[in-house]
Amino acid sequence: MSVEALVGGLLRATYLVPAALAFALATRHGRYLPFWLPQCGTIAAYSAYYLGETLHWNSSAAVCGALLVSTALGIVCHRVLFAGHVSRFEPYPALLRGIALGLVIENVAGIASGGYALAYENLRPSWQRVYSWPINDTLRLPDMLSIASVLVLSPALWFVVNHTRGGLAYRCVSSKRKLAQWCGMPIVRVDLVVVLGVSLLSAGAGIVYAMRYGLAPQMMTSPALKVVAVIVAFGPNRLLVVAMAIVLMGGLELLCQGVEGLSGFEHGISYAVLIIGALVKYVFWPMWKRWHAKAARKATT
């Protein structure tokens, strides 16, 4: 396996970092797995395609319009379908609704495009600028944005969440929602800011991914599985760990491609991480805590 191939695989994985960060923030805030959230990227990508290719908007206007459309729909979906479940702490009904909404968005995108993959044409010239790269390859603008999401966006979000007053409000509402409400914290404002931020991150991730690899109705379905696997395995509280884990999963997938006999396991890495993470978190860790509690009681008697 060449260095160019390894870097290319890691680079492709960086495209999922904004979606993973958005998923982690939403999961911690709502305390459920928002399977519908990555599909905001699908909505944004197809909106940008319609605005740029059909209405012939320039690239910047088309992208900004698509971000606004997807973010607004994300806020509406949360308020109509999930806000009640979040306030009442009902993770399983919210999870089922999220899965159903994700399937609906995917099928609507398939119907709108006739089930075919699409590619940007009018948006490419100004957004696909090429930069020099020291290992005999080229970097395009979406590549630069995805790299920035790892090197700049991830640390910035980590700092905001852990070292600012807004981040303190977010953490308080996420951990003890009713207590935060009794203490007079602006619950509605925090909810709006969180949903706005995660919808915008997911929309941007979908547009950048589509500009590099094209549009397809299932474009965010497989990436969503990788994101869910990382969140289940490592938890939504460690933003930097989530970002690094997504990139490392891309490296593992590429490693499987380059090793004879493991190429068929490439698409199974996400399932393996998900299963192992779920077993450790929901089976082995509770068993160990019960055993430790019993051992402590025996030691005191």
Side-chain angles (χ1 to χ4, degrees):
M1 182 174 59
S2 65
V3 176
E4 290 86 351
L6 176 61
V7 173
L10 295 176
L11 182 62
R12 185 183 181 101
T14 61
Y15 278 77
L16 305 181
V17 169
L21 295 173
F23 202 98
L25 291 171
T27 301
R28 184 176 181 179
H29 175 71
R31 291 179 290 178
Y32 77 99
L33 293 174
F35 276 88
W36 64 276
L37 188 59
Q39 298 298 346
C40 286
T42 304
I43 295 173
Y46 277 88
S47 298
Y49 180 87
Y50 174 77
L51 294 175
E53 306 296 329
T54 304
L55 300 184
H56 303 291
W57 290 19
N58 64 63
S59 58
S60 298
V63 169
C64 291
L67 290 175
L68 290 175
V69 168
S70 181
T71 302
L73 287 177
I75 293 174
V76 170
C77 288
H78 172 78
R79 294 295 299 172
V80 174
L81 297 176
F82 304 103
H85 295 307
V86 171
S87 62
R88 295 188 296 268
F89 186 46
E90 298 172 344
Y92 296 111
L95 172 65
L96 295 177
R97 278 194 172 187
I99 294 174
L101 180 59
L103 292 175
V104 168
I105 294 173
E106 179 181 320
N107 283 279
V108 168
I111 293 172
S113 61
Y116 297 104
L118 303 173
Y120 293 115
E121 296 297 336
N122 294 331
L123 298 184
R124 282 179 182 262
S126 59
W127 282 85
Q128 294 289 74
R129 294 194 296 269
V130 177
Y131 299 83
S132 60
W133 183 239
I135 56 171
N136 300 323
D137 203 349
T138 56
L139 282 179
R140 295 174 174 83
L141 182 59
D143 299 329
M144 302 293 290
L145 294 175
S146 65
I147 294 173
S149 70
V150 179
L151 300 180
V152 179
L153 179 62
S154 301
L157 283 177
W158 173 85
F159 179 82
V160 169
V161 169
N162 294 283
H163 297 283
T164 64
R165 293 184 63 182
L168 177 61
Y170 163 79
R171 286 183 280 121
C172 291
V173 173
S174 300
S175 59
K176 297 291 183 181
R177 186 179 183 87
K178 289 186 177 180
L179 180 60
Q181 188 173 12
W182 289 338
C183 293
M185 298 200 66
I187 303 293
V188 176
R189 189 186 309 168
V190 172
D191 289 347
L192 178 61
V193 171
V194 172
V195 176
L196 176 65
V198 299
S199 299
L200 187 60
L201 281 174
S202 300
I207 292 175
V208 173
Y209 190 90
M211 284 185 171
R212 188 66 168 90
Y213 300 106
L215 292 87
Q218 302 82 18
M219 57 176 288
M220 299 304 294
T221 302
S222 177
L225 177 60
K226 298 178 185 179
V227 170
V228 171
V230 168
I231 297 301
V232 171
F234 299 98
N237 299 345
R238 304 177 179 90
L239 295 179
L240 295 179
V241 174
V242 167
M244 292 299 104
I246 285 290
V247 176
L248 289 178
M249 282 185 65
L252 288 175
E253 290 179 349
L254 190 68
L255 182 63
C256 290
Q257 291 180 4
V259 177
E260 186 177 358
L262 292 178
S263 58
F265 190 65
E266 173 193 355
H267 300 291
I269 291 178
S270 300
Y271 294 98
V273 172
L274 178 61
I275 292 171
I276 294 173
L279 287 175
V280 171
K281 186 174 182 179
Y282 298 108
V283 179
F284 298 129
W285 179 246
M287 289 175 59
W288 184 88
K289 288 199 298 185
R290 287 195 296 268
W291 175 84
H292 185 72
K294 289 181 181 178
R297 287 196 297 268
K298 289 182 179 179
T300 55
T301 56

